């Protein structure tokens, strides 16, 4: 097995400087070093390569044939590194590359169409999106951005940006209300079918409502229990009964006539929405572009 002759980049840079200036003294001045250090760096490189790179006289420093061969390769290598540095610098300033985003299922489907505009604005972005209601490990699973609804645990390894606040409201389909009658008070909810969400903890999620000046919880007897946020919306649209969902999720369906907003005066403040980003060096331009887009989109979808 032949011995490796890899040379430190610093020594290669010194060699190129000497070759370009034709002088150890001028190379040292250009590099902010001493003539002695420059000479020692070239000597170490020649020893490592097992050949002489320069012919030295009292009047001139000239490349040997091996030196000319090595200079061409060294310049190509340094040019490649400079190009890579420029590309990385451009990537930091211009959003480019893959961004992995984890979104809650129902909420994510609300945001998914908006990514068309994001891609039109930043065509060098590639998006990898997961829609799931399970809790993800932002760091362990390699996500760039994880969007979560609700209060978040304190974690020093994460940075969090609040995207918006939500409100909770009661909704049902026009077809259901035509069959079962309109709802004009909270008391009438007891006479109607309820579609209820089962949270990640396994508990049925009570409805939080405003009753005059008081906030209280209702525990309806469900005709359908679902553990998927999007399925909850779809069940309400299909006419299963009344459900409580987030205003941003319900809004496009209300506007399209698929859902009716019941008892708006009973709406309550819902959970906040946060974007979770793994801590590290300065946030990449691609990640910042996605987070800013999510915040802007949610501001525009306010009811």
């Amino acid at each position: 097995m032949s011995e490796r002759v890899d040379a430190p980049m610093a020594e290669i840079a010194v060699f190129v400087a000497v070759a370009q200036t034709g002088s150890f003294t001028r190379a040292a001045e250009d590099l902010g070093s001493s003539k002695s250090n420059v000479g020692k760096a070239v000597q170490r490189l020649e020893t490592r390569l097992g050949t002489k790179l320069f012919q030295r006289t009292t009047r001139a420093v000239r490349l040997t044939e091996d030196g000319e061969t090595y200079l061409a390769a060294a310049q190509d290598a340094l040019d490649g590194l400079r190009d890579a540095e420029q590309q990385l610098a451009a990537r930091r300033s211009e959003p480019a590359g893959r961004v992995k985003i984890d979104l809650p299922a129902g909420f994510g489907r609300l945001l998914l169409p908006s990514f068309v505009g994001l891609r039109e604005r930043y065509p060098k972005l590639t998006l990898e999106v997961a829609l799931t209601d399970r809790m993800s490990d932002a760091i362990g699973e390699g996500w760039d951005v994880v969007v979560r609804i609700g209060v978040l645990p304190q974690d020093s390894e994460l940075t969090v940006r609040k995207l918006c606040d939500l409100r909770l409201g009661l909704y049902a389909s026009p077809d259901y209300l035509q069959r079962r009658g309109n709802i004009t008070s909270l008391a009438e909810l007891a006479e109607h079918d309820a579609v209820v969400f089962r949270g990640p903890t396994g508990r049925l999620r009570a409805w939080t409502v405003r009753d005059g000046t008081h906030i209280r919880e209702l525990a309806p007897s469900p005709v359908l229990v679902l553990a998927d946020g999007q399925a909850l919306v779809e069940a309400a649209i299909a006419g299963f009964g009344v459900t409580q969902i987030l205003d941003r999720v319900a809004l496009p369906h209300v506007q399209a006539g698929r859902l009716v907003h019941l008892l708006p005066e009973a709406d309550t403040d819902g959970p906040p929405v946060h974007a979770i980003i793994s801590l590290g060096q300065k946030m990449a331009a691609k990640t910042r572009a996605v987070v800013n887009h999510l915040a802007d989109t949610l501001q525009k979808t306010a009811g």
Side-chain angles (χ1 to χ4, degrees), residues 170 176 180 183 185-194 207 216 218-223 242 263:
L170 298 166
Y176 172 83
R180 299 292 301 273
I183 300 172
S185 69
L186 290 174
E188 294 177 5
L189 289 173
E191 303 170 7
H192 285 263
D193 296 338
W207 294 350
R216 64 188 181 96
L218 301 179
S221 179
V223 298
V242 179
L263 307 174

Side-chain angles (χ1 to χ4, degrees), residues 220-264:
S221 179
V223 298
L224 180 64
V225 176
L226 296 166
D228 180 285
Q230 179 61 21
L232 195 76
V233 176
E234 293 173 356
I237 292 172
F240 269 94
V242 179
T243 193
Q244 186 172 58
I245 54 179
L246 302 169
D247 59 341
R248 308 298 179 98
V249 175
L251 181 60
H253 301 297
V254 172
Q255 293 173 334
R258 293 186 289 268
L259 287 177
V260 176
H261 188 184
L262 308 173
L263 307 174

